[in-house]
Amino acid sequence: MMKTFSIGGIHPADSKISKDCRIEVLPLPSKVFISMAQHLGAPAVPVVKAGDKVKAGQVIAEPAGFISAYVHSSVSGTVKSVGPRKDIAGNNMVHVEIDVEGDEWADGIDLSDKLVTEIPEDVKAILEKIKLNGVVGLGGATFPAHVKLCPPPGKKAECLILNGAECEPYLTSDYRIMLERSREIVVGAAIMKHVLGGCRTVIGIEENKPEAIRVMSEAVAELQKSAKGYEGISVMSLKKKYPQGGEKQLIDAVMGRQVKSMGLPIDVGAVVQNVATSLAVYEAVQKNMPLVTNVLTVTGDCLPADRQHNYKFRIGMPLSYVAEYAGGVPEQAAKIISGGPMMGKAIANPDAATVKGSSSLLYLTAAQTVRQAESACIRCGKCADACPMGLEPFLLNKYARNGMMDELEENAVQDCIECGCCLYSCPANIPLLDIIRIAKGDVIRIIRGRAAQKK
Amino acid sequence: MDKLLVSPSPHLHAKTSTTSLMRDVVIAMLPAVVVSVLFYGWSELLIFGVSVASCVLLEYLITKYLLKRPCTVGDWSAAVTGVLLALNLPATTPWWVVLIGAIVAIGVAKMTFGGIGQNLFNPAIAGRVFLLISFPTYMTDWTRPQGFIGNGLDAMTGATPLGMVKEGGISAVADLDYLDMLFHNIGGSAGELSALAILAGFVYLLVRRVIKPYITLSILATVAIFSGIFWAVNPAEYTGPLFNLLTGGILLGSVFMATDYVTSPMSNLGGVIFGVGIGVLTMLIRYFGAYPEGVSFAILIMNSMVPLINKWCHSRKYGRA
Ligand code: SF4
Ligand code: SF4
């Protein structure tokens, strides 16, 4: 039987309209705006000032703590300004504005596309490269990659899981890199496996991407034959079910283990990285290439077939520039999403700059996305059936509306992964996740406060 | 595109709505409705008309003039109650009795609790049980009027198989034809006519994912096992599993009434407990109670246990085993 997670889940139409569009390289704009907050944790601190000349791949900001990341220039040119600019939500964040001049790369970066399959021996040096090249998780959370690859003392990785599920509808960027950069991804996986002490490595891909399963399996087989350090890597096909790519769900599906509430994957011996992160690790370690590019999908049902795209972009390109290049925002689009339709963010400011984790410009029409009026809960239980964490959203909703904090905590609101399955499924259109998200924040604050007091 | 919509995720929604679910329940009941109208004729049609119209109208009037809040008849839930109530009444029920049933169902059992989602008891059953207690003569007169097909007045006039057992012991139903019961021709309320029509509705509800099978199957299994044991011990005294599954409202109740979202438990385990409870209570009433039929009472009693069941049965949570 095909593997999948054991609790809940939903089956939205997968809508992978752009899956056959090859990755195209976007031309350089005249300006880029590079955000200091492209990763989970503290925003990076700029180390350049207006007037400085920079090259592509050069460090322009340094991490501001343990959980933070380096940021590099994605273009060559002159720093125009360092200051606040609005991000996609419309909030101010420090950006480095760079006028693009030519396309000159910093020294030491291998720009050729020759595949380097030999895995360096020195784990410390590998981690240093991953860190210095600003690699962060590209599956959504943008957690600094090197931190995840250093299990805390006493914990040991037993399985590295590469997330190629891409369970969000519409998105196809992971699919495309699995087809077009399969061997690089596998090298990246082997590098991470080596860093983690040579644990079992599983590349999980949903069954609705048979091409990707085939190509990735071939890449694994080929590298296992021709190079050293690739043993113990395999491809696993997973059932198509959302949220198959959720970290906790993937661990359940692949290893049959469940992470405890408020725990970390490493507690059960798991490390999960996205396939795009694996590619970034390859680039960083084998090519000394910092994370300054990524692939995003431009899609939506209101776009004709010839205007669906997968683009390789340089970080800092404004979303509006990408949209314009792709032929403009379609007339019928009522909402633009960055990320998937289930967990992505609605873009308030289309002029915001792309970041490391940008994965899409998804156009949804009003008919697709406008929320219907809320009616009374009919106690159908569909939200609970859908919840992959086994929570009872109807109950959490009731408790949250009455400010019942103890009951919320008892009923595990803090375990919510914000996947949206409950709200998606509710026939009464109750904004379950909106309410649960706020309650979860409150309860986690209470739990943290209690823990701090104990110390 | 003038202004971008901005709202939190998720940005998509399933196509099911309360309305679509309730409409599916009505569709699932249609085979039973059609069979009963075919066999009971005009008077049956009148009962459906009065029941549905009064349920819908009452909910409209109550929400609009009494509670002064948005009208909810558009969600089809009042129509579901109307059809269900009619399926629970004998074809000879006078129209004004039907109206009283509707008033109890919608006015008392549903709206005084706060409308859809809030009621403790299934409105249609509350209506039926009220009528059963208040108008026993009308409610147990199972004379069958002439229908559009078949002949209405036959040997079993005046009593349901279950009633016959209560009156005359098990020998009274010795020559019942089970095949007949499967298709039609079971004495009883409209909805108790054809087992097949109800099962077709059950399959439809499952396929459309309106309900899950746990409640229905646990009721049927309990009835079968319970009566099987008694029958095996003393077949001269007790009716057997097949008889008990095909007679009375057990199919109608287990498929359409016990599965009502609002008045059944939320979790699967809770559903099974609820179902076993209904099955046991039904059989206790049938074998030892004063009434020949016990499904409605059993469901009402178990309805009142739902808050308790919900308190004890929660879904299995991730990572907390
Ligand atoms: S958003 Fe939270 S509560 Fe809703 S289904 Fe997902 S995990 Fe469950
Ligand atoms: S899905 Fe909506 S209507 Fe159904 S139980 Fe959950 S909150 Fe209530």
Side-chain angles (χ1 to χ4, degrees):
Chain A
M1 221 184 74
M2 190 130 10
K3 296 250 183 166
T4 186
F5 54 98
S6 51
I7 304 174
I10 55 172
H11 301 91
D14 71 351
S15 307
K16 306 276 189 189
I17 314 167
S18 53
K19 77 180 190 14
D20 295 327
C21 306
R22 288 191 69 86
I23 298 171
E24 304 157 71
V25 177
L26 280 172
L28 288 173
S30 57
K31 255 180 203 307
V32 295
F33 303 88
I34 299 176
S35 169
M36 295 297 104
Q38 310 200 32
H39 46 266
L40 200 83
V45 183
V47 293
V48 291
K49 54 184 190 312
D52 286 0
K53 292 271 179 212
V54 293
K55 289 180 183 171
Q58 177 185 331
V59 171
I60 56 170
E62 290 180 346
F66 180 57
I67 313 262
S68 187
Y70 282 96
V71 176
H72 304 74
S73 177
S74 60
V75 294
S76 59
T78 309
V79 175
K80 183 84 181 302
S81 71
V82 178
R85 189 171 190 275
K86 291 202 173 1
D87 65 9
I88 62 164
N91 300 325
N92 275 328
M93 176 41 62
V94 175
H95 285 67
V96 174
E97 175 186 4
I98 302 169
D99 282 332
V100 180
E101 293 148 9
D103 191 18
E104 204 184 320
W105 287 76
D107 299 334
I109 300 173
D110 178 357
L111 290 168
S112 75
D113 52 12
K114 187 177 162 293
L115 185 76
V116 184
T117 59
E118 193 186 323
I119 295 160
E121 198 47 52
D122 186 351
V123 168
K124 267 225 180 72
I126 295 177
L127 284 168
E128 197 56 22
K129 272 192 170 174
I130 293 174
K131 180 177 166 190
L132 282 175
N133 284 316
V135 181
V136 299
L138 298 175
T142 60
F143 194 80
H146 65 279
V147 180
K148 241 190 189 178
L149 291 172
C150 297
K155 305 245 162 90
K156 194 173 159 13
E158 290 168 51
C159 184
L160 167 66
I161 303 173
L162 227 54
N163 183 359
E166 201 165 52
C167 58
E168 279 263 17
Y170 293 99
L171 303 190
T172 55
S173 55
D174 285 352
Y175 176 70
R176 287 316 309 181
I177 61 166
M178 284 193 280
L179 292 192
E180 299 180 33
R181 311 289 305 275
S182 55
R183 293 178 305 171
E184 288 88 340
I185 294 172
V186 176
V187 177
I191 293 170
M192 291 190 281
K193 172 173 94 91
H194 174 59
V195 168
L196 291 169
C199 59
R200 176 166 85 106
T201 299
V202 174
I203 306 171
I205 306 173
E206 275 192 343
E207 62 189 318
N208 63 339
K209 297 180 258 295
E211 266 303 271
I213 293 172
R214 187 179 62 79
V215 171
M216 290 297 292
S217 306
E218 281 169 12
V220 171
E222 182 192 322
L223 285 161
Q224 277 172 341
K225 234 187 287 159
S226 64
K228 273 213 298 284
Y230 291 84
E231 65 286 339
I233 302 179
S234 61
V235 174
M236 181 185 281
S237 64
L238 303 166
K239 238 174 107 175
K240 178 190 170 295
K241 182 161 83 164
Y242 176 86
Q244 192 68 261
E247 195 168 65
K248 295 197 163 104
Q249 282 61 42
L250 206 52
I251 293 169
D252 186 13
V254 172
M255 301 172 72
R257 295 183 190 173
Q258 299 189 346
V259 183
K260 288 250 164 336
S261 175
M262 305 293 279
L264 292 172
I266 192 69
D267 298 343
V268 294
V271 173
V272 181
Q273 295 283 9
N274 188 270
V275 285
T277 317
S278 191
L279 179 57
V281 165
Y282 166 83
E283 297 280 4
V285 177
Q286 307 294 69
K287 301 286 196 169
N288 207 22
M289 166 69 86
L291 179 50
V292 290
T293 63
N294 194 1
V295 176
L296 64 67
T297 303
V298 179
T299 188
D301 295 294
C302 52
L303 278 179
D306 61 336
R307 282 179 55 196
Q308 309 275 338
H309 296 283
N310 291 295
Y311 285 129
K312 180 170 178 178
F313 66 97
R314 300 261 184 117
I315 281 145
M317 287 179 171
L319 289 167
S320 51
Y321 169 79
V322 181
E324 273 321 306
Y325 185 79
V329 175
E331 191 68 18
Q332 307 95 303
K335 201 193 241 181
I336 312 178
I337 316 284
S338 170
M342 294 303 296
M343 291 186 78
K345 289 199 169 62
I347 297 172
N349 169 29
D351 211 31
T354 50
V355 289
K356 291 174 181 176
S358 295
S359 60
S360 80
L361 271 180
L362 165 62
Y363 301 113
L364 294 178
T365 62
Q368 281 178 296
T369 192
V370 171
R371 298 251 188 106
Q372 302 296 309
E374 173 184 357
S375 53
C377 170
I378 55 170
R379 303 160 48 83
C380 62
K382 293 198 182 294
C383 52
D385 286 343
C387 179
M389 296 304 289
L391 310 183
E392 292 151 302
F394 61 92
L395 206 62
L396 300 176
N397 171 54
K398 197 175 80 184
Y399 290 147
R401 289 189 191 216
N402 293 305
M404 297 159 76
M405 290 300 156
D406 294 343
E407 284 80 359
L408 282 167
E409 188 181 338
E410 249 164 60
N411 287 281
V413 73
Q414 62 274 23
D415 291 1
C416 168
I417 58 167
E418 305 188 23
C419 64
C421 291
C422 51
L423 201 159
Y424 175 87
S425 308
C426 177
N429 296 299
I430 298 171
L432 293 164
L433 177 54
D434 299 1
I435 290 159
I436 291 169
R437 197 184 269 125
I438 296 169
K440 172 188 165 186
D442 292 344
V443 166
I444 287 184
R445 255 190 302 283
I446 293 174
I447 295 175
R448 293 233 170 97
R450 216 167 35 216
Q453 245 173 22
K454 259 199 210 136
K455 271 184 198 151
Chain B
M1 187 206 65
D2 309 314
K3 216 174 149 268
L4 282 178
L5 265 174
V6 178
S7 56
S9 64
H11 306 286
L12 295 179
H13 195 278
K15 289 190 179 67
T16 33
S17 62
T18 303
T19 311
S20 76
L21 290 169
M22 293 301 143
R23 200 163 41 212
D24 270 340
V25 175
V26 172
I27 292 171
M29 290 189 288
L30 282 182
V33 172
V34 169
V35 170
S36 58
V37 169
L38 282 181
F39 280 90
Y40 289 157
W42 292 112
S43 53
E44 185 60 43
L45 204 58
L46 182 76
I47 290 179
F48 277 110
V50 172
S51 182
V52 173
S54 42
C55 282
V56 171
L57 196 67
L58 271 166
E59 180 151 330
Y60 173 76
L61 295 175
I62 291 173
T63 46
K64 181 138 196 208
Y65 295 104
L66 225 58
L67 302 174
K68 299 204 187 343
R69 53 176 213 204
C71 175
T72 44
V73 296
D75 68 18
W76 283 65
S77 63
V80 168
T81 302
V83 177
L84 205 50
L85 178 67
L87 283 175
N88 268 294
L89 302 175
T92 46
T93 317
W95 67 267
W96 55 271
V97 173
V98 179
L99 181 64
I100 293 172
I103 291 172
V104 173
I106 296 291
V108 180
K110 186 174 181 187
M111 300 317 281
T112 51
F113 281 87
I116 186 165
Q118 308 288 322
N119 46 302
L120 181 60
F121 298 105
N122 181 315
I125 308 188
R128 173 192 162 130
V129 166
F130 178 83
L131 295 182
L132 200 59
I133 296 168
S134 316
F135 305 96
T137 37
Y138 291 124
M139 290 299 290
T140 48
D141 175 8
W142 302 105
T143 314
R144 291 194 276 160
Q146 180 61 51
F148 299 121
I149 58 171
N151 52 334
L153 300 159
D154 66 6
M156 292 188 343
T157 303
T160 66
L162 280 171
M164 287 151 68
V165 176
K166 264 278 124 76
E167 302 272 302
I170 196 157
S171 56
V173 291
D175 54 355
L176 266 186
D177 184 347
Y178 286 119
L179 214 62
D180 236 15
M181 294 161 78
L182 201 55
F183 291 101
H184 65 89
N185 250 351
I186 320 177
S189 64
E192 295 167 8
L193 259 179
S194 165
L196 269 193
I198 294 169
L199 289 177
F202 182 49
V203 171
Y204 179 80
L205 290 179
L206 290 180
V207 170
R208 298 280 297 166
R209 291 177 185 278
V210 176
I211 60 170
K212 287 178 285 178
Y214 306 106
I215 295 176
T216 308
L217 294 185
S218 55
I219 295 177
L220 298 180
T222 307
V223 166
I225 293 169
F226 193 107
S227 58
I229 294 171
F230 275 77
W231 182 63
V233 171
N234 189 353
E237 183 75 22
Y238 299 106
T239 48
L242 200 55
F243 178 85
N244 276 295
L245 287 177
L246 290 177
T247 53
I250 199 75
L251 281 174
L252 185 68
S254 63
V255 172
F256 294 117
M257 305 200 280
T259 55
D260 171 27
Y261 291 144
V262 182
T263 56
S264 64
M266 305 293 300
S267 59
N268 297 342
L269 177 64
V272 171
I273 295 173
F274 180 73
V276 171
I278 291 174
V280 169
L281 287 171
T282 302
M283 289 316 299
L284 286 177
I285 296 171
R286 280 189 181 180
Y287 280 170
F288 309 111
Y291 284 90
E293 169 57 319
V295 185
S296 302
F297 289 107
I299 295 176
L300 272 196
I301 293 169
M302 289 311 289
N303 280 165
S304 70
M305 309 287 273
V306 167
L308 209 63
I309 296 176
N310 279 340
K311 221 186 194 124
W312 293 114
C313 304
H314 290 276
S315 29
R316 184 168 54 106
K317 291 187 176 60
Y318 178 101
R320 284 173 179 255

